[in-house]
Amino acid sequence: MGGKQKTLAILAGAALAAGLTSPAFGSSAAHSLPLRTAATASGASVVEWNRELITILSNPKAQPATVQPTRSFALLQAAEYDAVVSITRAGPAYLFSVSTPGGARADAAADQAAHDVLVALYPAKRAGVDQRLSSQLSAIPDSPGKQAGIGVGAEVARRLISLRSDDGSSAKPPRFRPGDKAGDYRPTPPAFPAPVFTNWGSVKPFVLAGGRPFRPAPPPAVSTAAYATALNEVKSLGSKTSTARTPDQTAAAKFWAAAPVWNVWNQVAQGLVTSQNASLEKAVKVFARLDLSLADTAIVMYDAKYAYRVWRPVTAIRLGGTHYNPGIVGDPNWTPLLPTAPDPSYPGAHGALSQAAATTLAGFYGARHHLAVTSKGVTRTFAGFQDAATEAWLSRIWSGQHTSLDNRAGRQLGTQVADFVALHL
């Protein structure tokens, strides 16, 4: 057994032992079922709906600030996926396999499912979403198969939204109470914002049965030499006035902070699906696996962040003069290159989410796949998905946000979640 297969087998075995099996997924026997209707349509419509969601989320008032956007991506892409495979039987269902008449159009099903999910999530955006659906469906010739596909998409979306209506995402986050001991997280300068996703670790995962078994091991205590080494690296490279950081590292730090990292990786997937003229079946599978992995990684990540509540580098460096660690010299005026995100440091979000995305996309397109990643009009190129993910988490050291300890835990978390999702979809 190869190293990758062995790792997956061990992970799957551990997950089964921990009760992580997900009855929501269809049996792998579904792979052997014949196609009921060939879905020869392009995956371009899937890309368009993904772009529509990113456009909606560009308005910070589109949804409550306490709702993590990865949930919306997972709902959108899971609905499109189940709508398509309900008709094509090209793979196991994620949650629902709806009974369909012969000749049903999978492309119409995907469009209707996407529309209905976005309307349910963002009713104020209905006019634009309705217009998108009209444009997409107008390209499909009228027929009983088209109407049947529309019915399938509507039913899948209805079931999925209903099932997720009590997943914990709408719960009011508990008030965060900062600690006062060395290592305890507390709001960070200059604005000292209150943490937002304090309860997101309690949201029901999409594929995992729970986040606890995937929680990374506790970090080294802030009094240890390992922590001093990691923090001193950030102190040197992540300072706003650093002379150790190269111009390219500064550019990378700003690049990966310019847009939400889940948006960036969805846009990478958009480019891959478009450039390779992916079929509808391939497109829905790529996006479903990507966004279910990102959503569950976010849930596990916040579970760990608020379990360990580790302070951010800016706090640790400014309080170094309290002598909590003999290997750290404090600087009460130290300022990171970029403002610090309002949540605990361990594990790192960019490390976790980017590793989940890179692992997922490499599973479809191969590890060494040249790609150009664009964010806010700036493009950086990479020889493979891992190269992009590695720069993403290193950028958080260069921007003064995270230590290598945070990044290492995030990368492990993201890999494990993505591998688990891939075993099921």
Side-chain angles (χ1 to χ4, degrees), residues 182 218-232 323-328 405:
V222 296
S223 58
T224 62
Y227 184 78
T229 298
L231 187 67
N232 284 330
H323 308 298
Y324 66 86
N325 189 317
I328 296 168
L405 301 172

Side-chain angles (χ1 to χ4, degrees), residues 47-377:
V47 171
E48 291 304 313
W49 285 112
N50 190 268
R51 287 175 177 157
E52 184 77 16
L53 176 55
I54 291 176
T55 298
I56 291 171
L57 290 171
S58 66
N59 179 354
K61 296 181 180 180
Q63 65 184 20
T66 55
V67 176
Q68 226 289 328
T70 52
R71 176 181 184 267
S72 301
F73 283 97
L75 287 170
L76 171 67
Q77 305 307 162
E80 287 189 89
Y81 175 84
D82 269 0
V84 169
V85 299
S86 287
I87 294 171
T88 66
R89 299 296 196 262
Y94 159 58
L95 284 177
F96 306 112
S97 183
V98 177
S99 177
T100 61
R105 291 287 301 243
D107 45 2
D111 289 331
Q112 190 69 47
H115 166 274
D116 289 5
V117 165
L118 294 185
V119 167
L121 294 177
Y122 308 102
K125 301 294 183 180
R126 177 158 200 150
V129 176
D130 283 353
Q131 185 176 7
R132 169 70 62 191
L133 178 64
S134 178
S135 175
Q136 296 294 99
L137 290 180
S138 67
I140 303 173
D142 290 331
S143 67
K146 176 180 178 178
Q147 293 306 312
I150 289 171
V152 170
E155 178 62 13
V156 166
R158 184 192 66 78
R159 292 190 190 184
L160 182 58
I161 289 295
S162 176
L163 184 70
R164 297 295 305 189
S165 63
D166 61 350
D167 62 5
S169 60
S170 61
K172 183 179 179 180
R175 181 182 176 186
F176 180 78
R177 300 184 184 280
D180 57 5
K181 298 183 178 62
D184 288 348
Y185 175 74
R186 59 211 70 182
T188 52
F192 300 94
V196 177
F197 298 116
T198 54
N199 69 323
W200 204 255
S202 299
V203 171
K204 180 181 178 180
F206 282 83
V207 181
L208 315 182
R212 181 64 183 271
F214 288 83
R215 184 187 295 174
V222 296
S223 58
T224 62
Y227 184 78
T229 298
L231 187 67
N232 284 330
E233 180 183 34
V234 182
K235 183 181 178 184
S236 173
L237 292 174
S239 167
K240 190 170 186 177
T241 58
S242 174
T243 57
R245 186 179 58 243
T246 69
D248 188 63
Q249 288 170 342
T250 299
K254 293 179 178 179
F255 174 87
W256 286 101
V261 72
W262 48 86
N263 283 11
V264 175
W265 284 105
N266 270 276
Q267 288 166 334
V268 169
Q270 291 172 14
L272 292 164
V273 167
T274 301
S275 65
Q276 299 204 358
N277 297 314
S279 67
L280 179 63
E281 295 102 319
K282 177 69 174 287
V284 294
K285 189 167 186 177
V286 168
F287 277 105
R289 191 182 292 177
L290 171 65
D291 285 309
L292 290 168
S293 294
L294 289 175
D296 275 6
T297 295
I299 291 168
V300 178
M301 178 187 73
Y302 282 110
D303 165 76
K305 279 181 177 290
Y306 288 100
Y308 297 125
R309 300 189 173 205
V310 177
W311 63 12
R312 286 282 186 157
V314 62
T315 307
I317 294 168
R318 290 190 176 190
L319 293 180
T322 60
H323 308 298
Y324 66 86
N325 189 317
I328 296 168
V329 177
D331 180 353
N333 298 312
W334 188 88
T335 300
L337 173 65
L338 301 174
T340 301
D343 54 36
S345 199
Y346 183 92
H350 274 60
L353 294 167
S354 292
Q355 193 65 38
T359 301
T360 298
L361 294 177
F364 284 106
Y365 297 101
R368 306 309 294 174
H369 185 100
H370 178 83
L371 68 153
V373 183
T374 300
S375 178
K376 299 295 185 181

Side-chain angles (χ1 to χ4, degrees), residues 376-394:
K376 299 295 185 181
V378 178
T379 299
R380 294 179 70 84
T381 58
F382 303 92
F385 298 106
Q386 186 58 60
D387 291 347
T390 297
E391 184 180 89
W393 60 257
L394 283 174

